[in-house]
Amino acid sequence: MARLGRAPAHAVLLLSVVTLPCMAQDVTEDARYSFVSQHMGTRFRIVAYARSEARARAAATEAFRHVDRLDSLFSDYRPDSEVARVAHHAGSGRDVVVSAELAEVLVEASRWSKRTDGAFDVTVGPLSKLWRWSARRGELPDPERIRSAREAVGFGLLVVDTVESSVRLARSGMSLDLGGIAKGYAADAALAILAEHGIERALVDAGGDIAVGAPPPASTGWLVALPDGDSLRLARSAVATSGDAERHVVIDGVRYAHVVDPRTGLGVTDVRTVTVVAPTATSADALASALTVMDAGSGRALLRSVEGAWARANGVDHWTAGALPEPARPHLWLPPSRP
């Protein structure tokens, strides 16, 4: 479920929203404004309808500032992050006091780990670091190193105390990798900040993890183009894509995705892209990561348990046949049987 590197973690979903120049003067009706900023190793874009450029910019600035804070907490590349501090005390028996945001995202991650029986697992850090190291060299990890890393992976070894806002990693050598959920969580948080500023008609694109609020004026939803060429309109929901369309490595003739299966320690090989629509970007991000790893039967059961979610895999190889969903009418897309 881990994602390789700091570049965008998956095929960026192209949006049919035109970036218009910001207007300097106030307007009597909502106008569209667009803002871009680099965070979490990718490009964040906010598109908002507001009464004035000043109001939209103030809201976007606060949203980007919060995303930057989340990156400082969640990054497994920054030695001063909370994630790094938690890993530093792995196996010590110590409960590490953390921010409310890290505690919240880890509770959500643990919930998805249980629902996916470990296909989604943010304790995959030791395996994802080993896979990154090996993939950059164009070779598979040594089996003994995989075995050693797997001993330090397991969502049951992650303990989160929401009352004390503390985290404990029970085994030495453990580390966290939030690559499969962090950008979705950040997109949701940014959208919520825009709403606090009274901006309900907004879209946040976190490098392909997209959260949308109320639709643009005179529209039923935000028009989103999917990687396979189809498009759909979304309102008050989110979409995410995971897989190897943008980043992969070929080793001994086998194409491996950047997404790491926590159960094997290797990049997955049999799914190119999975696109998920869900009520929140956090859940869409986690679902897309998990479904890239899960087999058809398990994925089908998982999707049936998530209200308002649908998914499709491998472009035209849809998980079921039928029309794309309307914003207010969720549909369920199911995976094909694998040989």
PDB file of all heavy atoms in Angstrom, residues 80-115:
ATOM      1  N   ASP A  80      12.687  15.744  11.288  1.00  0.00           N
ATOM      2  CA  ASP A  80      12.100  16.463  12.404  1.00  0.00           C
ATOM      3  C   ASP A  80      10.578  16.307  12.470  1.00  0.00           C
ATOM      4  O   ASP A  80       9.920  16.981  13.256  1.00  0.00           O
ATOM      5  CB  ASP A  80      12.445  17.948  12.319  1.00  0.00           C
ATOM      6  CG  ASP A  80      11.953  18.594  11.026  1.00  0.00           C
ATOM      7  OD1 ASP A  80      11.628  17.845  10.073  1.00  0.00           O
ATOM      8  OD2 ASP A  80      11.888  19.836  10.962  1.00  0.00           O
ATOM      9  N   SER A  81       9.998  15.412  11.660  1.00  0.00           N
ATOM     10  CA  SER A  81       8.548  15.231  11.655  1.00  0.00           C
ATOM     11  C   SER A  81       8.095  14.415  12.867  1.00  0.00           C
ATOM     12  O   SER A  81       8.895  13.735  13.521  1.00  0.00           O
ATOM     13  CB  SER A  81       8.102  14.523  10.382  1.00  0.00           C
ATOM     14  OG  SER A  81       8.514  13.163  10.391  1.00  0.00           O
ATOM     15  N   GLU A  82       6.805  14.492  13.154  1.00  0.00           N
ATOM     16  CA  GLU A  82       6.258  13.667  14.239  1.00  0.00           C
ATOM     17  C   GLU A  82       6.358  12.191  13.896  1.00  0.00           C
ATOM     18  O   GLU A  82       6.605  11.356  14.787  1.00  0.00           O
ATOM     19  CB  GLU A  82       4.804  14.052  14.517  1.00  0.00           C
ATOM     20  CG  GLU A  82       4.645  15.319  15.307  1.00  0.00           C
ATOM     21  CD  GLU A  82       3.252  15.497  15.872  1.00  0.00           C
ATOM     22  OE1 GLU A  82       2.315  14.795  15.414  1.00  0.00           O
ATOM     23  OE2 GLU A  82       3.096  16.326  16.782  1.00  0.00           O
ATOM     24  N   VAL A  83       6.168  11.846  12.630  1.00  0.00           N
ATOM     25  CA  VAL A  83       6.286  10.450  12.213  1.00  0.00           C
ATOM     26  C   VAL A  83       7.691   9.926  12.514  1.00  0.00           C
ATOM     27  O   VAL A  83       7.865   8.799  13.001  1.00  0.00           O
ATOM     28  CB  VAL A  83       5.952  10.322  10.713  1.00  0.00           C
ATOM     29  CG1 VAL A  83       6.529   9.041  10.131  1.00  0.00           C
ATOM     30  CG2 VAL A  83       4.444  10.360  10.500  1.00  0.00           C
ATOM     31  N   ALA A  84       8.715  10.738  12.244  1.00  0.00           N
ATOM     32  CA  ALA A  84      10.092  10.334  12.539  1.00  0.00           C
ATOM     33  C   ALA A  84      10.310  10.198  14.044  1.00  0.00           C
ATOM     34  O   ALA A  84      11.010   9.285  14.509  1.00  0.00           O
ATOM     35  CB  ALA A  84      11.072  11.352  11.947  1.00  0.00           C
ATOM     36  N   ARG A  85       9.711  11.105  14.812  1.00  0.00           N
ATOM     37  CA  ARG A  85       9.880  11.046  16.274  1.00  0.00           C
ATOM     38  C   ARG A  85       9.221   9.790  16.841  1.00  0.00           C
ATOM     39  O   ARG A  85       9.767   9.145  17.756  1.00  0.00           O
ATOM     40  CB  ARG A  85       9.272  12.302  16.911  1.00  0.00           C
ATOM     41  CG  ARG A  85       9.464  12.393  18.419  1.00  0.00           C
ATOM     42  CD  ARG A  85       9.339  13.832  18.898  1.00  0.00           C
ATOM     43  NE  ARG A  85       8.055  14.422  18.498  1.00  0.00           N
ATOM     44  CZ  ARG A  85       6.936  14.299  19.210  1.00  0.00           C
ATOM     45  NH1 ARG A  85       6.949  13.603  20.343  1.00  0.00           N
ATOM     46  NH2 ARG A  85       5.826  14.881  18.819  1.00  0.00           N
ATOM     47  N   VAL A  86       8.065   9.429  16.313  1.00  0.00           N
ATOM     48  CA  VAL A  86       7.401   8.202  16.766  1.00  0.00           C
ATOM     49  C   VAL A  86       8.272   6.992  16.446  1.00  0.00           C
ATOM     50  O   VAL A  86       8.456   6.093  17.280  1.00  0.00           O
ATOM     51  CB  VAL A  86       6.013   8.080  16.110  1.00  0.00           C
ATOM     52  CG1 VAL A  86       5.427   6.692  16.358  1.00  0.00           C
ATOM     53  CG2 VAL A  86       5.070   9.145  16.643  1.00  0.00           C
ATOM     54  N   ALA A  87       8.837   6.959  15.228  1.00  0.00           N
ATOM     55  CA  ALA A  87       9.688   5.832  14.833  1.00  0.00           C
ATOM     56  C   ALA A  87      10.935   5.743  15.704  1.00  0.00           C
ATOM     57  O   ALA A  87      11.427   4.636  15.994  1.00  0.00           O
ATOM     58  CB  ALA A  87      10.070   5.964  13.367  1.00  0.00           C
ATOM     59  N   HIS A  88      11.445   6.887  16.124  1.00  0.00           N
ATOM     60  CA  HIS A  88      12.651   6.910  16.954  1.00  0.00           C
ATOM     61  C   HIS A  88      12.438   6.145  18.257  1.00  0.00           C
ATOM     62  O   HIS A  88      13.383   5.552  18.798  1.00  0.00           O
ATOM     63  CB  HIS A  88      13.045   8.358  17.253  1.00  0.00           C
ATOM     64  CG  HIS A  88      14.244   8.490  18.143  1.00  0.00           C
ATOM     65  ND1 HIS A  88      15.533   8.249  17.705  1.00  0.00           N
ATOM     66  CD2 HIS A  88      14.353   8.840  19.459  1.00  0.00           C
ATOM     67  CE1 HIS A  88      16.371   8.429  18.705  1.00  0.00           C
ATOM     68  NE2 HIS A  88      15.694   8.802  19.778  1.00  0.00           N
ATOM     69  N   HIS A  89      11.209   6.134  18.758  1.00  0.00           N
ATOM     70  CA  HIS A  89      10.917   5.460  20.029  1.00  0.00           C
ATOM     71  C   HIS A  89      10.265   4.095  19.831  1.00  0.00           C
ATOM     72  O   HIS A  89       9.741   3.522  20.799  1.00  0.00           O
ATOM     73  CB  HIS A  89      10.010   6.353  20.881  1.00  0.00           C
ATOM     74  CG  HIS A  89      10.658   7.633  21.316  1.00  0.00           C
ATOM     75  ND1 HIS A  89      11.608   7.682  22.309  1.00  0.00           N
ATOM     76  CD2 HIS A  89      10.515   8.905  20.862  1.00  0.00           C
ATOM     77  CE1 HIS A  89      12.009   8.936  22.472  1.00  0.00           C
ATOM     78  NE2 HIS A  89      11.359   9.700  21.610  1.00  0.00           N
ATOM     79  N   ALA A  90      10.296   3.566  18.613  1.00  0.00           N
ATOM     80  CA  ALA A  90       9.688   2.259  18.359  1.00  0.00           C
ATOM     81  C   ALA A  90      10.351   1.182  19.217  1.00  0.00           C
ATOM     82  O   ALA A  90      11.571   1.103  19.319  1.00  0.00           O
ATOM     83  CB  ALA A  90       9.826   1.906  16.879  1.00  0.00           C
ATOM     84  N   GLY A  91       9.521   0.361  19.832  1.00  0.00           N
ATOM     85  CA  GLY A  91      10.017  -0.737  20.646  1.00  0.00           C
ATOM     86  C   GLY A  91      10.455  -0.362  22.038  1.00  0.00           C
ATOM     87  O   GLY A  91      10.836  -1.232  22.835  1.00  0.00           O
ATOM     88  N   SER A  92      10.395   0.929  22.382  1.00  0.00           N
ATOM     89  CA  SER A  92      10.849   1.383  23.699  1.00  0.00           C
ATOM     90  C   SER A  92       9.767   1.240  24.765  1.00  0.00           C
ATOM     91  O   SER A  92      10.057   1.367  25.971  1.00  0.00           O
ATOM     92  CB  SER A  92      11.281   2.854  23.626  1.00  0.00           C
ATOM     93  OG  SER A  92      10.156   3.701  23.398  1.00  0.00           O
ATOM     94  N   GLY A  93       8.542   0.996  24.330  1.00  0.00           N
ATOM     95  CA  GLY A  93       7.423   0.959  25.264  1.00  0.00           C
ATOM     96  C   GLY A  93       6.891   2.326  25.617  1.00  0.00           C
ATOM     97  O   GLY A  93       5.950   2.448  26.411  1.00  0.00           O
ATOM     98  N   ARG A  94       7.444   3.362  25.018  1.00  0.00           N
ATOM     99  CA  ARG A  94       7.054   4.726  25.338  1.00  0.00           C
ATOM    100  C   ARG A  94       5.869   5.182  24.486  1.00  0.00           C
ATOM    101  O   ARG A  94       5.826   4.939  23.283  1.00  0.00           O
ATOM    102  CB  ARG A  94       8.234   5.670  25.111  1.00  0.00           C
ATOM    103  CG  ARG A  94       7.902   7.144  25.309  1.00  0.00           C
ATOM    104  CD  ARG A  94       9.121   8.018  25.103  1.00  0.00           C
ATOM    105  NE  ARG A  94       8.769   9.432  25.113  1.00  0.00           N
ATOM    106  CZ  ARG A  94       9.633  10.424  24.959  1.00  0.00           C
ATOM    107  NH1 ARG A  94      10.925  10.140  24.796  1.00  0.00           N
ATOM    108  NH2 ARG A  94       9.238  11.678  24.963  1.00  0.00           N
ATOM    109  N   ASP A  95       4.923   5.839  25.111  1.00  0.00           N
ATOM    110  CA  ASP A  95       3.835   6.494  24.401  1.00  0.00           C
ATOM    111  C   ASP A  95       4.294   7.902  24.036  1.00  0.00           C
ATOM    112  O   ASP A  95       4.605   8.708  24.915  1.00  0.00           O
ATOM    113  CB  ASP A  95       2.574   6.576  25.269  1.00  0.00           C
ATOM    114  CG  ASP A  95       1.996   5.195  25.569  1.00  0.00           C
ATOM    115  OD1 ASP A  95       2.026   4.346  24.668  1.00  0.00           O
ATOM    116  OD2 ASP A  95       1.533   4.986  26.701  1.00  0.00           O
ATOM    117  N   VAL A  96       4.327   8.198  22.744  1.00  0.00           N
ATOM    118  CA  VAL A  96       4.811   9.482  22.252  1.00  0.00           C
ATOM    119  C   VAL A  96       3.615  10.408  22.044  1.00  0.00           C
ATOM    120  O   VAL A  96       2.705  10.106  21.273  1.00  0.00           O
ATOM    121  CB  VAL A  96       5.585   9.312  20.938  1.00  0.00           C
ATOM    122  CG1 VAL A  96       6.105  10.655  20.450  1.00  0.00           C
ATOM    123  CG2 VAL A  96       6.731   8.320  21.112  1.00  0.00           C
ATOM    124  N   VAL A  97       3.619  11.538  22.734  1.00  0.00           N
ATOM    125  CA  VAL A  97       2.538  12.516  22.570  1.00  0.00           C
ATOM    126  C   VAL A  97       2.673  13.174  21.206  1.00  0.00           C
ATOM    127  O   VAL A  97       3.752  13.632  20.820  1.00  0.00           O
ATOM    128  CB  VAL A  97       2.583  13.576  23.690  1.00  0.00           C
ATOM    129  CG1 VAL A  97       1.521  14.643  23.455  1.00  0.00           C
ATOM    130  CG2 VAL A  97       2.375  12.907  25.047  1.00  0.00           C
ATOM    131  N   VAL A  98       1.558  13.199  20.454  1.00  0.00           N
ATOM    132  CA  VAL A  98       1.577  13.739  19.093  1.00  0.00           C
ATOM    133  C   VAL A  98       0.444  14.741  18.918  1.00  0.00           C
ATOM    134  O   VAL A  98      -0.404  14.924  19.800  1.00  0.00           O
ATOM    135  CB  VAL A  98       1.446  12.607  18.049  1.00  0.00           C
ATOM    136  CG1 VAL A  98       2.616  11.643  18.150  1.00  0.00           C
ATOM    137  CG2 VAL A  98       0.113  11.867  18.207  1.00  0.00           C
ATOM    138  N   SER A  99       0.417  15.380  17.775  1.00  0.00           N
ATOM    139  CA  SER A  99      -0.637  16.332  17.452  1.00  0.00           C
ATOM    140  C   SER A  99      -1.970  15.618  17.295  1.00  0.00           C
ATOM    141  O   SER A  99      -2.033  14.404  17.037  1.00  0.00           O
ATOM    142  CB  SER A  99      -0.302  17.060  16.153  1.00  0.00           C
ATOM    143  OG  SER A  99      -0.251  16.135  15.081  1.00  0.00           O
ATOM    144  N   ALA A 100      -3.035  16.392  17.418  1.00  0.00           N
ATOM    145  CA  ALA A 100      -4.375  15.836  17.207  1.00  0.00           C
ATOM    146  C   ALA A 100      -4.530  15.329  15.774  1.00  0.00           C
ATOM    147  O   ALA A 100      -5.203  14.316  15.530  1.00  0.00           O
ATOM    148  CB  ALA A 100      -5.430  16.894  17.505  1.00  0.00           C
ATOM    149  N   GLU A 101      -3.867  16.007  14.824  1.00  0.00           N
ATOM    150  CA  GLU A 101      -3.989  15.595  13.422  1.00  0.00           C
ATOM    151  C   GLU A 101      -3.355  14.232  13.183  1.00  0.00           C
ATOM    152  O   GLU A 101      -3.932  13.378  12.493  1.00  0.00           O
ATOM    153  CB  GLU A 101      -3.337  16.639  12.505  1.00  0.00           C
ATOM    154  CG  GLU A 101      -4.047  17.971  12.474  1.00  0.00           C
ATOM    155  CD  GLU A 101      -3.500  18.967  13.480  1.00  0.00           C
ATOM    156  OE1 GLU A 101      -2.839  18.525  14.453  1.00  0.00           O
ATOM    157  OE2 GLU A 101      -3.720  20.178  13.293  1.00  0.00           O
ATOM    158  N   LEU A 102      -2.151  14.000  13.729  1.00  0.00           N
ATOM    159  CA  LEU A 102      -1.514  12.706  13.518  1.00  0.00           C
ATOM    160  C   LEU A 102      -2.307  11.599  14.204  1.00  0.00           C
ATOM    161  O   LEU A 102      -2.493  10.518  13.638  1.00  0.00           O
ATOM    162  CB  LEU A 102      -0.073  12.721  14.030  1.00  0.00           C
ATOM    163  CG  LEU A 102       0.708  11.405  13.819  1.00  0.00           C
ATOM    164  CD1 LEU A 102       0.721  11.003  12.360  1.00  0.00           C
ATOM    165  CD2 LEU A 102       2.125  11.514  14.366  1.00  0.00           C
ATOM    166  N   ALA A 103      -2.777  11.866  15.416  1.00  0.00           N
ATOM    167  CA  ALA A 103      -3.587  10.866  16.103  1.00  0.00           C
ATOM    168  C   ALA A 103      -4.836  10.539  15.291  1.00  0.00           C
ATOM    169  O   ALA A 103      -5.217   9.368  15.143  1.00  0.00           O
ATOM    170  CB  ALA A 103      -3.968  11.362  17.496  1.00  0.00           C
ATOM    171  N   GLU A 104      -5.465  11.558  14.732  1.00  0.00           N
ATOM    172  CA  GLU A 104      -6.696  11.345  13.967  1.00  0.00           C
ATOM    173  C   GLU A 104      -6.441  10.531  12.704  1.00  0.00           C
ATOM    174  O   GLU A 104      -7.188   9.584  12.403  1.00  0.00           O
ATOM    175  CB  GLU A 104      -7.318  12.688  13.599  1.00  0.00           C
ATOM    176  CG  GLU A 104      -8.621  12.565  12.823  1.00  0.00           C
ATOM    177  CD  GLU A 104      -9.235  13.905  12.498  1.00  0.00           C
ATOM    178  OE1 GLU A 104      -8.498  14.811  12.034  1.00  0.00           O
ATOM    179  OE2 GLU A 104     -10.448  14.068  12.704  1.00  0.00           O
ATOM    180  N   VAL A 105      -5.392  10.877  11.947  1.00  0.00           N
ATOM    181  CA  VAL A 105      -5.152  10.152  10.710  1.00  0.00           C
ATOM    182  C   VAL A 105      -4.722   8.712  10.993  1.00  0.00           C
ATOM    183  O   VAL A 105      -5.055   7.790  10.230  1.00  0.00           O
ATOM    184  CB  VAL A 105      -4.115  10.882   9.836  1.00  0.00           C
ATOM    185  CG1 VAL A 105      -2.697  10.669  10.322  1.00  0.00           C
ATOM    186  CG2 VAL A 105      -4.241  10.459   8.375  1.00  0.00           C
ATOM    187  N   LEU A 106      -4.046   8.478  12.116  1.00  0.00           N
ATOM    188  CA  LEU A 106      -3.650   7.109  12.458  1.00  0.00           C
ATOM    189  C   LEU A 106      -4.833   6.279  12.922  1.00  0.00           C
ATOM    190  O   LEU A 106      -4.897   5.070  12.656  1.00  0.00           O
ATOM    191  CB  LEU A 106      -2.555   7.126  13.527  1.00  0.00           C
ATOM    192  CG  LEU A 106      -1.192   7.628  13.055  1.00  0.00           C
ATOM    193  CD1 LEU A 106      -0.192   7.621  14.208  1.00  0.00           C
ATOM    194  CD2 LEU A 106      -0.670   6.789  11.885  1.00  0.00           C
ATOM    195  N   VAL A 107      -5.782   6.898  13.596  1.00  0.00           N
ATOM    196  CA  VAL A 107      -7.012   6.183  13.949  1.00  0.00           C
ATOM    197  C   VAL A 107      -7.763   5.782  12.683  1.00  0.00           C
ATOM    198  O   VAL A 107      -8.247   4.654  12.545  1.00  0.00           O
ATOM    199  CB  VAL A 107      -7.904   7.046  14.861  1.00  0.00           C
ATOM    200  CG1 VAL A 107      -9.310   6.457  14.972  1.00  0.00           C
ATOM    201  CG2 VAL A 107      -7.281   7.165  16.244  1.00  0.00           C
ATOM    202  N   GLU A 108      -7.852   6.712  11.735  1.00  0.00           N
ATOM    203  CA  GLU A 108      -8.518   6.418  10.468  1.00  0.00           C
ATOM    204  C   GLU A 108      -7.769   5.336   9.700  1.00  0.00           C
ATOM    205  O   GLU A 108      -8.371   4.427   9.127  1.00  0.00           O
ATOM    206  CB  GLU A 108      -8.619   7.693   9.629  1.00  0.00           C
ATOM    207  CG  GLU A 108      -9.362   7.542   8.328  1.00  0.00           C
ATOM    208  CD  GLU A 108     -10.857   7.357   8.495  1.00  0.00           C
ATOM    209  OE1 GLU A 108     -11.345   7.395   9.650  1.00  0.00           O
ATOM    210  OE2 GLU A 108     -11.540   7.169   7.469  1.00  0.00           O
ATOM    211  N   ALA A 109      -6.445   5.410   9.694  1.00  0.00           N
ATOM    212  CA  ALA A 109      -5.644   4.395   9.019  1.00  0.00           C
ATOM    213  C   ALA A 109      -5.834   3.022   9.652  1.00  0.00           C
ATOM    214  O   ALA A 109      -5.948   2.011   8.943  1.00  0.00           O
ATOM    215  CB  ALA A 109      -4.162   4.794   9.058  1.00  0.00           C
ATOM    216  N   SER A 110      -5.885   2.977  10.980  1.00  0.00           N
ATOM    217  CA  SER A 110      -6.093   1.702  11.668  1.00  0.00           C
ATOM    218  C   SER A 110      -7.458   1.101  11.331  1.00  0.00           C
ATOM    219  O   SER A 110      -7.596  -0.121  11.186  1.00  0.00           O
ATOM    220  CB  SER A 110      -5.970   1.906  13.180  1.00  0.00           C
ATOM    221  OG  SER A 110      -4.651   2.284  13.539  1.00  0.00           O
ATOM    222  N   ARG A 111      -8.433   1.972  11.181  1.00  0.00           N
ATOM    223  CA  ARG A 111      -9.770   1.495  10.807  1.00  0.00           C
ATOM    224  C   ARG A 111      -9.737   0.836   9.427  1.00  0.00           C
ATOM    225  O   ARG A 111     -10.312  -0.242   9.230  1.00  0.00           O
ATOM    226  CB  ARG A 111     -10.754   2.665  10.813  1.00  0.00           C
ATOM    227  CG  ARG A 111     -12.191   2.275  10.551  1.00  0.00           C
ATOM    228  CD  ARG A 111     -13.127   3.449  10.785  1.00  0.00           C
ATOM    229  NE  ARG A 111     -13.015   4.438   9.732  1.00  0.00           N
ATOM    230  CZ  ARG A 111     -13.746   4.412   8.616  1.00  0.00           C
ATOM    231  NH1 ARG A 111     -14.629   3.440   8.422  1.00  0.00           N
ATOM    232  NH2 ARG A 111     -13.601   5.342   7.700  1.00  0.00           N
ATOM    233  N   TRP A 112      -9.033   1.441   8.488  1.00  0.00           N
ATOM    234  CA  TRP A 112      -8.942   0.852   7.159  1.00  0.00           C
ATOM    235  C   TRP A 112      -8.062  -0.396   7.161  1.00  0.00           C
ATOM    236  O   TRP A 112      -8.310  -1.339   6.396  1.00  0.00           O
ATOM    237  CB  TRP A 112      -8.413   1.879   6.164  1.00  0.00           C
ATOM    238  CG  TRP A 112      -9.456   2.881   5.771  1.00  0.00           C
ATOM    239  CD1 TRP A 112      -9.500   4.210   6.100  1.00  0.00           C
ATOM    240  CD2 TRP A 112     -10.642   2.629   5.014  1.00  0.00           C
ATOM    241  NE1 TRP A 112     -10.636   4.789   5.594  1.00  0.00           N
ATOM    242  CE2 TRP A 112     -11.354   3.855   4.923  1.00  0.00           C
ATOM    243  CE3 TRP A 112     -11.168   1.488   4.411  1.00  0.00           C
ATOM    244  CZ2 TRP A 112     -12.563   3.959   4.236  1.00  0.00           C
ATOM    245  CZ3 TRP A 112     -12.375   1.600   3.731  1.00  0.00           C
ATOM    246  CH2 TRP A 112     -13.061   2.814   3.639  1.00  0.00           C
ATOM    247  N   SER A 113      -7.060  -0.448   8.012  1.00  0.00           N
ATOM    248  CA  SER A 113      -6.241  -1.664   8.112  1.00  0.00           C
ATOM    249  C   SER A 113      -7.089  -2.852   8.548  1.00  0.00           C
ATOM    250  O   SER A 113      -6.971  -3.952   8.004  1.00  0.00           O
ATOM    251  CB  SER A 113      -5.098  -1.444   9.103  1.00  0.00           C
ATOM    252  OG  SER A 113      -4.171  -0.509   8.611  1.00  0.00           O
ATOM    253  N   LYS A 114      -7.954  -2.612   9.527  1.00  0.00           N
ATOM    254  CA  LYS A 114      -8.824  -3.701   9.997  1.00  0.00           C
ATOM    255  C   LYS A 114      -9.827  -4.103   8.927  1.00  0.00           C
ATOM    256  O   LYS A 114     -10.083  -5.289   8.711  1.00  0.00           O
ATOM    257  CB  LYS A 114      -9.540  -3.258  11.270  1.00  0.00           C
ATOM    258  CG  LYS A 114      -8.613  -3.064  12.460  1.00  0.00           C
ATOM    259  CD  LYS A 114      -9.334  -2.451  13.653  1.00  0.00           C
ATOM    260  CE  LYS A 114      -8.366  -2.173  14.797  1.00  0.00           C
ATOM    261  NZ  LYS A 114      -9.017  -1.481  15.932  1.00  0.00           N
ATOM    262  N   ARG A 115     -10.383  -3.110   8.227  1.00  0.00           N
ATOM    263  CA  ARG A 115     -11.388  -3.406   7.214  1.00  0.00           C
ATOM    264  C   ARG A 115     -10.792  -4.134   6.009  1.00  0.00           C
ATOM    265  O   ARG A 115     -11.495  -4.867   5.306  1.00  0.00           O
ATOM    266  CB  ARG A 115     -12.073  -2.126   6.735  1.00  0.00           C
ATOM    267  CG  ARG A 115     -12.879  -1.444   7.813  1.00  0.00           C
ATOM    268  CD  ARG A 115     -13.656  -0.262   7.280  1.00  0.00           C
ATOM    269  NE  ARG A 115     -14.772  -0.678   6.432  1.00  0.00           N
ATOM    270  CZ  ARG A 115     -15.708   0.134   5.989  1.00  0.00           C
ATOM    271  NH1 ARG A 115     -15.663   1.436   6.290  1.00  0.00           N
ATOM    272  NH2 ARG A 115     -16.687  -0.310   5.230  1.00  0.00           N
TER     273      ARG A 115
END
